[in-house]
Every structure is written in structure tokens, then in C-alpha cells.
């Protein structure tokens, strides 16, 4: 039998491992967060590439492959080495795009393909904002 002092710690630890890496976001809140992104990115009917690529179909797309957008070598190389945008990879990327892509290539054994930086200098640090913007963007991606 676990002691009264140890049991709460064990239960807390078990609960932490039972939770997903990040909770589901709120698409309506994400639409508001996305306004920060609209200077460079568009979504929806008639969306066109700007300073950043159109984000329709982002979830499930290989990095660096939006039609008609000229990507940085760093982003292109990450996609060429297998980076696919999932909810988790987008979540991680948004916190620090350059660091994420460089880590991806390093972890893939392709550190020699780290060239320059990504065009996306914006960082979206708050976890809730990242969760919410992902929920919003999922509306513009085919079902996964």
C-alpha cells in the first residue's frame, strides 16, 4: 500500500501521462489569434500567397510545398527530409520556427542541410494561442 505522502504524487504523475501532448484548441478563439498571422498568411476561399504561403491544407502537407510559394532553403530542406505538418509539428514550430526547423534537420541527421533561416520570424509563444490557431487552421485542411 502506498503511503499517504506518496499516493498524491503517483496520481498526479499518472494523470500527466494520461493527457495528450497538447489539448484541443478552440477554433473561434483561434480565428482571433490568426489575425496576428494575416499580415503574411491567408486561408479560405480565394486565399493567395503573400509574404507567407496560403495555409489551406496545411495539416497533412509536406513542409515547403505550398504551390506557388518560394520557400527558404531551410524550410524546403526540412520538407525534402520528411517534415510533414501535423498538429504537433505545427504546435512546436509556432513557438520558434527557426529553432524547430534546425532541430528537425539535426535530429534527422541532416545538419549539413541547415542553410540560413526561415522567412517566418514571428513566434507564437503562448501554448493556448498555438492550440487555438491550430484548431482554426484544421477547418481549412482535409480530414486527417
Amino acid at each position: 500500500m502506498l503511503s499517504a505522502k506518496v499516493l498524491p504524487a503517483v496520481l498526479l504523475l499518472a494523470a500527466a501521462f494520461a493527457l495528450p501532448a497538447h489539448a484541443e484548441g478552440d477554433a473561434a478563439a483561434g480565428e482571433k489569434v490568426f489575425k496576428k498571422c494575416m499580415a503574411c498568411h491567408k486561408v479560405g476561399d480565394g486565399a493567395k500567397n503573400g509574404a507567407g504561403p496560403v495555409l489551406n491544407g496545411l495539416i497533412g502537407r509536406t513542409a515547403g510545398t505550398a504551390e506557388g510559394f518560394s520557400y527558404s532553403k531551410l524550410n524546403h530542406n526540412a520538407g525534402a527530409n520528411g517534415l510533414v505538418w501535423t498538429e504537433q509539428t505545427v504546435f512546436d514550430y509556432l513557438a520558434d520556427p527557426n529553432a524547430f526547423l534546425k532541430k528537425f534537420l539535426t535530429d534527422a541527421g541532416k545538419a549539413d542541410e541547415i542553410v540560413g533561416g526561415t522567412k517566418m520570424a514571428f513566434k507564437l509563444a503562448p501554448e493556448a494561442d498555438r492550440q487555438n490557431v491550430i484548431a482554426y487552421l484544421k477547418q481549412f485542411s482535409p480530414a486527417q
Side-chain angles (χ1 to χ4, degrees):
M1 183 96 181
L2 294 175
S3 75
K5 290 182 181 180
V6 175
L7 183 59
V10 170
L11 292 175
L12 183 61
L13 191 57
F17 282 108
L19 295 175
H22 59 91
E24 287 293 317
D26 177 302
E31 184 174 11
K32 292 175 185 168
V33 174
F34 190 74
K35 289 179 182 182
K36 297 176 185 179
C37 311
M38 289 179 66
C40 298
H41 297 283
K42 305 294 185 243
V43 291
D45 292 338
K48 295 185 175 156
N49 292 324
V54 169
L55 297 181
N56 293 338
L58 176 66
I59 306 299
R61 182 167 74 202
T62 299
T65 63
E67 188 174 332
F69 186 76
S70 177
Y71 284 91
S72 67
K73 287 191 179 280
L74 180 62
N75 200 306
H76 174 77
N77 289 348
N81 284 286
L83 178 59
V84 174
W85 295 121
T86 65
E87 291 178 51
Q88 187 63 55
T89 57
V90 172
F91 181 83
D92 296 339
Y93 174 84
L94 288 173
D96 189 338
N98 273 309
F100 174 81
L101 293 176
K102 289 175 181 181
K103 182 179 182 327
F104 176 84
L105 287 168
T106 299
D107 290 350
K110 302 291 183 171
D112 58 321
E113 294 188 31
I114 296 174
V115 180
T118 180
K119 293 178 181 180
M120 187 163 148
F122 180 76
K123 297 176 183 177
L124 188 60
E127 288 188 14
D129 285 355
R130 288 185 277 150
Q131 293 164 353
N132 293 337
V133 81
I134 290 166
Y136 175 67
L137 291 173
K138 280 175 45 179
Q139 299 175 111
F140 302 96
S141 294
Q144 298 300 308

